[in-house]
Amino acid sequence: MYTIGLRYCGGCNPQIDRTRVVKDLREGLAKLQTAVDITTDRSRAVDLLLLINGCEHACLEEDYSERDGPIISVEGLMVDRRPVEEDDIPDILIRKILDMMSSSSH
Amino acid sequence: MMNGKEYIESLRGLNREVYFLGRKIKNVVDEPMFQPHIHTAAMTYELAHEPEYQEIMTAVSHVTGERINRFTHIHHSIDDLVKKVRMMRLLGQKTGTCFQRCVGLDGLNAVYVTSYDIDQKYGTDYHERFRDYLLQVQENDWMPSGAMTDARGDRSRRPSMQQHPDAYLHIKERLDDGIIVSGMKAHITGAVNSHEILVMPTRTMSEEDADFALSFALPADTEGVSYIFSRQTNDTRRLDGVLDGGNPKYGIVGGEAVIVFKDVFVPWERVFMAGEYDFTTELVETFAGYHRSNYGGCKVGLADVVIGGSNWIAEAHGVERSSHIVDKLTDMIAMAETCWSCTLACSYEGHKTPSGAYNIHPLLANVTKLNITRMVYEWMRLAQDIAGGKIITLPSEKDLENPEIRETLFECFAGKQGFSPLDIIRMLRLIENMSVGAGLPEAMHGAGSPAAQKIMIARRSGIEKKMELAKTVAGINRDDYFERIIGKDETTHWNEVKKKLRGRETEIY
């Protein structure tokens, strides 16, 4: 099972609905019948870290870096520093996760 | 890195065409009208060599790894953004006026960020060209003037629809080796004492305005480029002695000029945007954000000077303990520190851009500048209030030097024992210079007028999200967290509450 460590920022003044993004992501992955486990348990070893920052300041990026393994970072209305529309974020994340999964299986 | 003297000497090598008061100025460096501005810009070079200021005045180049003047640096961390505004406050404190060089700094950063994004979309090589240019700026420690605002003519018409085609700087011709440009840039700070001109578009352009979507850099003395230096309040007092100028060392505002481009050739290697109209908004907004954040630094540095001057005058007049004076000074300090808080906040809340450079928080930067457009007027009003009417009725320096009336005037302007009348006049002249003159509208319009800040604030306010918050608290939206706290859905909860209250309602009538 491919494990994704989910981390939320503190959510003080988010530009996006962070929980809706994750809910839509979970549903999208489930529809594709992808074997992915998304966990917020910080003690577990994970294949990928998914940082859900509510804004572009991206506080979580101060705590996590590539040294911690592969990362996808939502930064408000950006994903990995590319501007995006809020509604597109779940699909963008699904594409990135599938890419990561396929590259890690090779 | 150059020091202050070396910077001034470096300007002698530039043979530019400058006009002022109907004359062509042959020697810019030694012209008394320009010298205070040159001294102020020189401070940005000088302090970079002083160990006690190097931590904020210098940075390590991400291009070369060498230590450079921070005014040529591309911000690569939150710490860089914070140090930038600390540098602005420091220089405001040291000069009491505009030190000009931040415009070019913001231009360098804005073009760096935007040229990267243009290349990502169109596969162009603007960013690589710009990095080559940046390397030259850093190695030579150049001061580029940031030339954004066009003359603009009839504001109701788009750039391409103007009666006068040169109202906006534009591409006249595209050649194999470069472009030919014509047009004007208005009120460009530090233009006559910069080494280079860094041009940016002044507004969002549409497809029909593609030739106006333009960014490039040129040496300041390029053939076809000329400058007309602007007037400022009481400017010719500089030709009339020393004391009456108020701040004879560093002047007032930044020394603005109109820059005229007449069929000027720009080689492709110095062109960073040529027709990509869909990136003009990004470039303008990125520049404006950086520049608006600065005002919470530099103007607060000026406030430090004018607050100190006001307190000194109150002491010299023996009124420093009066409650209304203490109250006014406290208000001035609170307003200045409010603006400082804003600029620190927009720096600490900054973010990384796709280019790797860091940008400030745009909403907070615009709030910073909007506060400045109001609060500078208010703290300068209080400075005038504390200083008294003398700041606009003082006799001239020439009368103070006239042996027939000198002693009488010194008696007239004497204050508390221990304060020299000449020093009192000197301080009053400084407060006059800072609070009565061109510095006020400069705080209003520099980096964009208040309406421009309000547009940005409205656009970035996230008002939809705020409405959702209100709807949740009001009970219009479902409140998941509340339901988790009470362990049931809200409707059930309130029905139960009503049931419990039955028979216990307050009897009002």
Side-chain angles (χ1 to χ4, degrees):
Chain A
M1 177 77 82
Y2 192 82
T3 310
I4 298 174
L6 173 65
R7 304 285 184 270
Y8 287 106
C9 73
C12 62
N13 192 17
Q15 296 169 334
I16 56 169
D17 185 336
R18 296 169 306 145
T19 51
R20 190 176 69 87
V21 166
V22 173
K23 182 172 166 280
D24 292 351
L25 168 66
R26 284 181 192 275
E27 286 173 6
L29 288 169
K31 262 187 209 165
L32 294 170
Q33 297 182 320
T34 314
V36 171
D37 179 20
I38 300 179
T39 177
T40 54
D41 182 350
R42 287 167 194 246
S43 63
R44 283 182 60 187
V46 296
D47 299 299
L48 167 70
L49 275 170
L50 174 59
L51 310 182
I52 304 290
N53 298 281
C55 76
E56 57 207 5
H57 178 71
C59 291
L60 286 168
E61 291 177 8
E62 291 166 19
D63 298 330
Y64 296 98
S65 70
E66 284 161 5
R67 285 194 305 273
D68 302 303
I71 287 178
I72 299 173
S73 184
V74 175
E75 303 122 339
L77 293 170
M78 291 202 282
V79 175
D80 292 337
R81 297 295 162 193
R82 295 270 150 222
V84 293
E85 298 291 329
E86 181 170 359
D87 290 344
D88 297 336
I89 295 174
D91 287 342
I92 292 168
L93 293 180
I94 289 167
R95 280 202 298 275
K96 280 181 174 270
I97 290 166
L98 294 177
D99 282 351
M100 294 267 197
M101 287 173 73
S102 86
S103 62
S104 72
S105 65
H106 291 150
Chain B
M1 288 188 295
M2 284 189 272
N3 62 26
K5 263 189 184 170
E6 287 164 345
Y7 156 71
I8 293 173
E9 288 309 305
S10 72
L11 296 175
R12 293 190 192 281
L14 291 162
N15 183 27
R16 72 187 99 203
E17 195 180 329
V18 182
Y19 298 88
F20 182 61
L21 287 181
R23 287 185 305 138
K24 192 167 176 179
I25 306 296
K26 287 189 183 130
N27 182 346
V28 168
V29 177
D30 297 317
E31 167 58 48
M33 291 303 297
F34 304 160
Q35 275 184 331
H37 305 296
I38 294 171
H39 295 154
T40 315
M43 191 66 85
T44 69
Y45 287 89
E46 188 60 29
L47 294 191
H49 288 266
E50 304 296 336
E52 63 269 38
Y53 296 122
Q54 277 185 354
E55 185 58 24
I56 57 173
M57 289 300 304
T58 64
V60 174
S61 166
H62 75 290
V63 185
T64 62
E66 299 289 321
R67 191 154 282 279
I68 52 171
N69 192 303
R70 190 174 290 282
F71 277 100
T72 65
H73 184 51
I74 301 299
H75 319 302
H76 268 78
S77 65
I78 295 293
D79 188 51
D80 275 344
L81 295 174
V82 173
K83 282 181 175 157
K84 181 199 72 165
V85 292
R86 292 192 192 284
M87 174 172 76
M88 302 299 161
R89 185 167 186 172
L90 168 69
L91 285 159
Q93 291 174 339
K94 294 294 184 198
T95 61
T97 188
C98 168
F99 36 86
Q100 311 143 43
R101 206 173 168 192
C102 68
V103 197
L105 167 64
D106 298 331
L108 291 173
N109 276 273
V111 176
Y112 188 91
V113 168
T114 310
S115 60
Y116 180 88
D117 291 339
I118 297 174
D119 289 356
Q120 294 301 302
K121 181 170 179 183
Y122 291 114
T124 42
D125 64 348
Y126 291 127
H127 191 65
E128 200 183 319
R129 292 179 201 173
F130 187 73
R131 279 177 71 98
D132 290 343
Y133 175 67
L134 177 71
L135 188 63
Q136 292 177 60
V137 171
Q138 292 183 344
E139 285 181 346
N140 293 295
D141 205 2
W142 282 334
M143 168 175 164
S145 61
M148 176 168 272
T149 310
D150 290 273
R152 291 183 292 163
D154 180 349
R155 270 69 160 173
S156 69
R157 290 167 174 249
R158 300 206 60 82
S160 53
M161 304 300 286
Q162 293 290 324
Q163 192 177 3
H164 195 307
D166 285 348
Y168 286 80
L169 185 60
H170 60 281
I171 302 170
K172 268 183 91 171
E173 203 178 339
R174 289 168 187 263
L175 309 170
D176 288 342
D177 52 350
I179 52 176
I180 304 288
V181 301
S182 264
M184 285 173 271
K185 291 286 184 182
H187 36 81
I188 304 305
T189 297
V192 303
N193 52 291
S194 292
H195 305 99
E196 292 268 321
I197 312 166
L198 176 57
V199 164
M200 293 164 280
T202 198
R203 53 170 287 172
T204 296
M205 303 291 176
S206 54
E207 192 172 356
E208 59 269 31
D209 302 320
D211 282 342
F212 299 79
L214 183 58
S215 175
F216 62 84
L218 280 176
D221 60 350
T222 300
E223 192 182 344
V225 176
S226 59
Y227 303 79
I228 300 111
F229 192 73
S230 308
R231 296 216 65 168
Q232 297 141 15
T233 40
N234 301 329
D235 51 4
T236 45
R237 285 189 190 181
R238 286 172 212 166
L239 307 176
D240 207 24
V242 176
L243 187 60
D244 294 353
N247 187 353
K249 284 184 283 186
Y250 305 117
I252 185 170
V253 296
E256 281 69 28
V258 173
I259 308 181
V260 181
F261 299 78
K262 269 193 186 160
D263 296 331
V264 176
F265 173 72
V266 189
W268 279 118
E269 62 265 25
R270 275 173 165 254
V271 177
F272 315 122
M273 173 190 275
E276 292 78 9
Y277 62 90
D278 47 337
F279 282 89
T280 48
T281 305
E282 178 181 328
L283 182 46
V284 171
E285 288 192 356
T286 306
F287 173 83
Y290 284 129
H291 205 44
R292 286 169 193 171
S293 78
N294 295 350
Y295 275 64
C298 64
K299 298 302 175 207
V300 172
L302 267 63
D304 293 329
V305 174
V306 87
I307 290 166
S310 302
N311 200 78
W312 189 93
I313 279 292
E315 281 188 19
H317 288 160
V319 294
E320 77 276 14
R321 289 190 187 158
S322 298
S323 61
H324 73 98
I325 296 289
V326 174
D327 185 63
K328 284 164 192 159
L329 283 163
T330 309
D331 271 349
M332 292 168 81
I333 293 163
M335 282 185 285
E337 300 302 339
T338 299
C339 293
W340 178 238
S341 309
C342 286
T343 195
L344 283 179
C346 77
S347 306
Y348 278 113
E349 289 289 289
H351 63 275
K352 193 176 179 182
T353 66
S355 70
Y358 271 65
N359 196 1
I360 47 71
H361 188 289
L363 172 64
L364 298 183
N366 279 275
V367 170
T368 305
K369 175 66 200 338
L370 188 62
N371 274 334
I372 286 290
T373 66
R374 296 162 174 164
M375 290 187 183
V376 170
Y377 281 80
E378 183 57 16
W379 69 59
M380 290 303 186
R381 184 184 74 79
L382 291 169
Q384 293 172 6
D385 187 348
I386 293 168
K390 280 194 277 189
I391 56 165
I392 50 158
T393 60
L394 287 172
S396 78
E397 182 180 13
K398 288 192 173 69
D399 292 318
L400 296 173
E401 288 168 350
N402 182 342
E404 289 174 47
I405 51 175
R406 177 186 170 87
E407 290 311 314
T408 309
L409 287 175
F410 279 175
E411 277 173 34
C412 176
F413 290 101
K416 206 169 154 180
Q417 203 171 9
F419 289 85
S420 119
L422 188 60
D423 282 348
I424 292 176
I425 292 170
R426 207 188 299 274
M427 189 63 81
L428 289 168
R429 282 291 183 212
L430 174 65
I431 296 173
E432 178 200 24
N433 169 284
M434 294 182 73
S435 71
V436 178
L440 292 174
E442 196 278 327
M444 166 91 81
H445 295 292
S449 307
Q453 281 110 63
K454 287 194 177 176
I455 290 168
M456 291 280 284
I457 290 168
R459 197 184 291 163
R460 292 174 177 271
S461 66
I463 198 75
E464 295 296 330
K465 292 273 184 291
K466 294 184 198 305
M467 286 197 292
E468 292 306 313
L469 293 172
K471 281 156 71 178
T472 304
V473 176
I476 298 167
N477 283 353
R478 184 172 168 180
D479 189 338
D480 290 334
Y481 301 109
F482 182 71
E483 291 186 346
R484 276 177 223 166
I485 291 167
I486 58 177
K488 59 193 79 160
D489 69 88
E490 270 202 68
T491 313
T492 308
H493 172 73
W494 292 122
N495 284 341
E496 286 174 6
V497 168
K498 280 181 185 171
K499 206 169 163 185
K500 274 188 212 163
L501 291 175
R502 208 163 291 150
R504 294 172 58 193
E505 292 94 338
T506 309
E507 198 76 29
I508 298 173
Y509 296 108

